[in-house]
Coordinates of all heavy atoms in Angstrom, one line a residue:
Chain R
A1 N 0.7 -33.4 3.6 CA 0.0 -32.3 2.8 C 0.4 -31.0 3.5 O 0.7 -30.9 4.7 CB -1.5 -32.5 2.9
Q2 N 0.5 -29.9 2.8 CA 0.8 -28.6 3.3 C -0.4 -28.1 4.1 O -1.5 -28.3 3.7 CB 1.1 -27.6 2.2 CG 2.1 -28.1 1.2 CD 2.1 -27.3 -0.1 OE1 1.4 -26.4 -0.2 NE2 2.7 -27.9 -1.2
S3 N -0.1 -27.5 5.2 CA -1.2 -26.9 6.1 C -0.5 -25.8 6.9 O 0.6 -25.7 7.2 CB -1.8 -28.0 6.9 OG -0.9 -28.4 7.9
S26 N 2.9 -27.1 8.3 CA 3.4 -28.4 7.9 C 3.7 -28.3 6.5 O 2.9 -28.0 5.6 CB 2.3 -29.5 8.1 OG 2.7 -30.7 7.6
Y27 N 5.0 -28.5 6.2 CA 5.5 -28.3 4.8 C 6.7 -29.1 4.6 O 7.6 -29.3 5.4 CB 5.9 -26.8 4.7 CG 5.9 -26.3 3.3 CD1 4.6 -26.0 2.6 CD2 7.0 -26.3 2.5 CE1 4.6 -25.6 1.3 CE2 7.0 -25.9 1.2 CZ 5.8 -25.6 0.5 OH 5.7 -25.2 -0.7

Side-chain angles (χ1 to χ4, degrees):
Chain R
Q2 306 160 17
S3 67
S26 174
Y27 202 83

